[in-house]
Amino acid sequence: MTQYLTKVVTFDEFVAQYPDDSGKLYELHDGVIVEMPPPTGDHEEIIGFLVRKLSVESDRLNLPYLIPKTVFVKPLASESAYSPDILLLNQPNLVNEPLWKKKSTVSQAASIPLVVEVVSTAVASSRETRPTHCLTNWRDDYHKKFADYEEMGIPEYWILDYAALGSREYIGKPKQPTILVCSLEDGEYQINKFRQGDRIQSPTFPDLNLTVEQIFQAGGTISAE
C-alpha cells in the first residue's frame, strides 16, 4: 500500500505564513495545511442570508455579539485552526483571548456562542501533497469539527447540509436537505434535525423565526412553493 508523507506544521508556523498572496483559504487540520475549495454561489448566498438574520436578532436582543469576516477557531488540544462559515463572537470575552489581538484567533467557548458550517460539494486538498491527500468537506463538518467544537465546549453548532451530502446516520433515509442544530448538554452535543417544513429551534436565539425553506431558498437550493 502506498503511503504519502505530509509535512506537519505547528499552529504558530501556520499563522506565520497565512495569509499568502494567492487569495486562497486554508485551514490547519492536526498539523496539516489544507486548502479549502472555493465556495459556490449557493453556498455564499446561504451564508449571507443567515448572517443578516442572526445579526438582526442579536441587535433585537441587545446581545454583545458580532460576526467577523475571518477568524480562526483553535482547539487547544490539537494543532488545528478552523475558519467557520459563520462565527458568532461574544465581544466582551475577547479581552481574555491571548491570540485575539495579534492572530485573530479564539479558543475559549465563552467567546463563541454559535458556530455554523455550510456543507460543500467540493473537496479540500492538502497544500503539501495535492491531490494525493484529500478530505471531503462533509466528513470534516460532521466528524472532525463536530468533535473538536464539542470538546472545546462551544454551546451551539449548526451544520447546514443543503445538498444532503451527509451519511444516512446523520440526515436519515431518504436523504434530504437538512439542518442539524447541535446543542451542548453535559459536555456532549445533542442533535436536533430540521428539514423542509420545520422552523429552526436555537438555544442561543429561542425566538428566531426562521425556517429551513427560508435558509435554503436564499441559495436557490429548495424551490419556493
Side-chain angles (χ1 to χ4, degrees):
M1 180 176 65
T2 303
Q3 293 183 334
Y4 299 96
L5 299 179
T6 301
K7 181 182 177 181
V8 175
V9 301
T10 66
F11 170 78
D12 288 337
E13 291 171 332
F14 171 68
V15 295
Q17 56 183 297
Y18 187 99
D20 59 16
D21 58 3
S22 67
K24 296 178 180 178
L25 176 66
Y26 299 99
E27 291 187 340
L28 186 66
H29 293 195
D30 291 325
V32 177
I33 298 177
V34 175
E35 179 186 332
M36 306 307 291
T40 64
D42 294 343
H43 184 277
E44 292 301 281
E45 287 183 281
I46 289 171
I47 290 173
F49 173 81
L50 193 52
V51 164
R52 177 163 55 89
K53 293 297 184 179
L54 295 179
S55 296
V56 168
E57 188 67 3
S58 295
D59 286 344
R60 187 184 71 83
L61 297 173
N62 197 29
L63 296 171
Y65 296 162
L66 61 90
I67 300 177
K69 180 180 179 181
T70 304
V71 170
F72 285 122
V73 174
K74 184 188 184 307
L76 292 176
S78 67
E79 294 294 339
S80 296
Y82 305 131
S83 182
D85 289 311
I86 301 175
L87 178 64
L88 198 68
L89 291 182
N90 179 27
Q91 193 168 9
N93 195 66
L94 295 180
V95 297
N96 300 316
E97 291 281 0
L99 301 175
W100 173 249
K101 289 294 185 181
K102 293 185 177 180
K103 299 180 180 179
S104 186
T105 298
V106 293
S107 58
Q108 299 176 11
S111 299
I112 311 169
L114 172 66
V115 63
V116 179
E117 298 286 4
V118 180
V119 181
S120 171
T121 58
V123 174
S125 61
S126 164
R127 184 177 175 184
E128 302 296 333
T129 60
R130 185 180 183 182
T132 56
H133 182 90
C134 296
L135 298 172
T136 55
N137 178 276
W138 79 263
R139 293 185 187 276
D140 285 342
D141 295 337
Y142 279 97
H143 294 279
K144 181 167 180 52
K145 293 181 181 180
F146 178 98
D148 282 344
Y149 293 156
E150 181 183 65
E151 185 175 6
M152 290 177 69
I154 295 175
E156 190 170 346
Y157 172 36
W158 292 17
I159 302 174
L160 275 59
D161 194 347
Y162 65 86
L165 296 175
S167 69
R168 293 178 178 86
E169 173 187 0
Y170 294 100
I171 62 175
K173 183 179 180 180
K175 295 170 70 171
Q176 58 183 298
T178 304
I179 294 176
L180 277 66
V181 174
C182 311
S183 307
L184 199 69
E185 296 181 16
D186 298 324
E188 295 183 356
Y189 277 141
Q190 303 302 310
I191 302 174
N192 290 308
K193 303 174 185 178
F194 301 95
R195 303 183 179 89
Q196 192 164 358
D198 295 335
R199 183 177 74 87
I200 301 299
Q201 298 188 26
S202 163
T204 303
F205 298 107
D207 297 325
L208 185 67
N209 188 17
L210 200 57
T211 67
V212 172
E213 284 93 338
Q214 287 175 300
I215 295 172
F216 288 157
Q217 282 172 11
T221 58
I222 290 181
S223 299
E225 295 182 358

